[in-house]
Amino acid sequence: MRLTKFTDLALRSVMRLAVVRDGDDPPTTREVAEVVGVPYTHAAKAITRLRHLGIVEARRGRGGGLTLTDRGRHASVGRLVRELEGDGEVVACEGDTPCPLRGACRLRGALRDAQEAFYVSLDPLTVTDLVASPTGPVLIGLTDRPSG
């Protein structure tokens, strides 16, 4: 199974937000984009989707920024990936040139089952689990800026 770049970016953004320490200023979308190494416009789209899912909260103005909600912190990674990836089929059996096997194919069902097994293996993991050591300290190191 291969995740879309959008889902990968959204998960990395959530992981970045999960390591914000008490007392730190919440990062902006631009800062998240910088840390995860993507263009601002791509990060903004992912953050918008995460806001709609109730995973991220955004505040504007002075003292504003992005925060991970409690729901986001404890979200199942499997559920989050399902939401981000959507309900698309693993293989496209329909379209301009439909597959001639579509009426009697066993592959489509097997691939659908494999996709669900992939998601099920991610279900027990939470966002908090993703940023446990050694990942969290590395993310914190990427976000620490020298004062000056």
Side-chain angles (χ1 to χ4, degrees):
M1 169 103 199
R2 184 178 194 147
L3 298 179
T4 61
K5 289 182 181 182
F6 179 80
T7 298
D8 176 47
L9 165 58
L11 291 172
R12 287 188 285 150
S13 298
V14 166
M15 290 169 65
R16 163 57 185 102
L17 295 174
V19 297
V20 173
R21 297 170 286 198
D22 288 338
D24 284 354
D25 290 334
T28 64
T29 301
R30 193 166 304 282
E31 290 167 340
V32 169
E34 210 172 275
V35 169
V36 299
V38 298
Y40 167 78
T41 54
H42 294 186
K45 288 177 187 175
I47 295 298
T48 298
R49 179 76 172 118
L50 292 166
R51 285 181 55 220
H52 287 280
L53 293 173
I55 303 298
V56 171
E57 183 177 285
R59 294 187 188 154
R60 294 184 177 269
R62 187 178 176 132
L66 304 171
T67 56
L68 198 59
T69 63
D70 283 338
R71 179 181 181 184
R73 192 168 301 285
H74 302 292
S76 159
V77 174
R79 186 184 71 71
L80 188 53
V81 171
R82 280 182 190 91
E83 291 283 340
L84 294 166
E85 287 289 309
D87 290 329
E89 291 286 334
V90 178
V91 293
C93 299
E94 307 297 329
D96 292 340
T97 54
C99 176
L101 300 176
R102 72 184 180 277
C105 184
R106 295 180 61 182
L107 177 61
R108 185 177 188 180
L111 290 174
R112 194 176 306 123
D113 291 346
Q115 180 183 31
E116 185 56 26
F118 173 78
Y119 292 143
V120 166
S121 72
L122 294 174
D123 282 341
L125 290 172
T126 66
V127 171
T128 300
D129 295 331
L130 293 180
V131 295
S133 189
T135 307
V138 171
L139 276 166
I140 291 169
L142 292 173
T143 62
D144 285 339
R145 292 180 220 113
S147 57

